[in-house]
Amino acid sequence: MRHTIIFDLDGTLLYTLEDLKDAVNYALRTKGLAEHTLEEMRQFFGNGIRYAFRQAVPELPEAEIDELVSHFKAYYGEHSMDNTMPYEGILPLMQTLAEQGYRMAIVSNKLDEAVKALAEHFFGDYVKVAIGNRADIRRKPAPDMVFATLEELGVPKEDAVYIGDSEVDLATARNSGLPCITVLWGFREKAFLLEEGADCFAERPEEIPEILQGIS
């Protein structure tokens, strides 16, 4: 049985989509660009903010993407908790896992400062390590964030399970050599996740402790 859980953040622990949408659309407005809907944003996110802007405005040169990212950071830093909240059942899940002796951490392609702020605000009693996108570490699906987390926790990968909601999370788990539980309340549909190779699903947070018991 494994005793360490590495969670993705957006779409797995937190519903963040409305605040992400608002920040992206704010940045787009600064350059007079067309805004995008909530459902469009759902498909854009999972691989970092630059990737999201590249999906939103694929024709823009990199220098203008840099400007959009800068505007996004400024806005999101002030508004990252306007509508963001844990998914229903997540806080009880974390309490249960803590009581059962699990160590918990977060790795995310969200900006590192936002990951740490959100983790502390919502999960400060439960999450021991939170790592986001920063210059000195490759973002997911590279395994670097996972390995850095395991090193900081002082545990081997053989003791860890990865939990996420997207194809990026599936690839991250594979690249890290970890089993993956894929949640179905996040940013992707089950049919798509099956095509991406997902084979272990949780439809509700309360299912996760039992699923973990079956992972060796």
Side-chain angles (χ1 to χ4, degrees), residues 145-167:
M145 289 182 181
V146 170
F147 292 159
T149 297
L150 293 173
E151 183 176 2
E152 192 166 341
L153 290 171
V155 299
K157 70 178 184 180
E158 291 78 13
D159 192 53
V161 176
Y162 189 98
I163 300 179
D165 74 302
S166 76
E167 72 280 9

Side-chain angles (χ1 to χ4, degrees), residues 25 29 57-59 66 105 116 120 128 146 152 163 173-174 186 188-189 193 198 216:
N25 282 337
R29 287 197 301 273
V57 280
E59 70 278 5
D66 290 341
K116 287 177 167 53
E120 175 62 27
K128 305 306 180 187
V146 170
E152 192 166 341
I163 300 179
R174 283 194 297 268
R188 302 290 189 267
E189 298 296 328
L193 294 165
S216 58

Side-chain angles (χ1 to χ4, degrees), residues 75-151:
Y75 184 94
Y76 193 69
E78 297 293 324
H79 298 277
S80 65
M81 299 184 196
D82 287 1
N83 300 288
T84 288
M85 66 188 74
Y87 286 99
E88 184 177 356
I90 288 296
L91 290 177
L93 168 66
M94 287 194 151
Q95 181 175 349
T96 296
L97 293 174
E99 290 171 352
Q100 293 177 352
Y102 287 94
R103 291 173 290 263
M104 289 174 276
I106 292 170
V107 297
S108 171
N109 281 338
K110 183 189 289 292
L111 300 168
D112 187 63
E113 55 267 33
V115 171
K116 287 177 167 53
L118 291 166
E120 175 62 27
H121 179 78
F122 290 108
F123 310 120
D125 292 338
Y126 302 120
V127 170
K128 305 306 180 187
V129 177
I131 295 178
N133 189 11
R134 65 192 199 207
D136 64 332
I137 191 167
R138 291 187 299 168
R139 68 169 185 255
K140 302 186 297 183
D144 302 42
M145 289 182 181
V146 170
F147 292 159
T149 297
L150 293 173
E151 183 176 2

Side-chain angles (χ1 to χ4, degrees), residues 7 11 38 40 66 71 95 106 111 118 158 164 173 176 181 187 191 198:
F7 287 102
L38 194 67
E40 288 173 321
D66 290 341
H71 289 303
Q95 181 175 349
I106 292 170
L111 300 168
L118 291 166
E158 291 78 13
S176 305
I181 300 171
F187 289 3

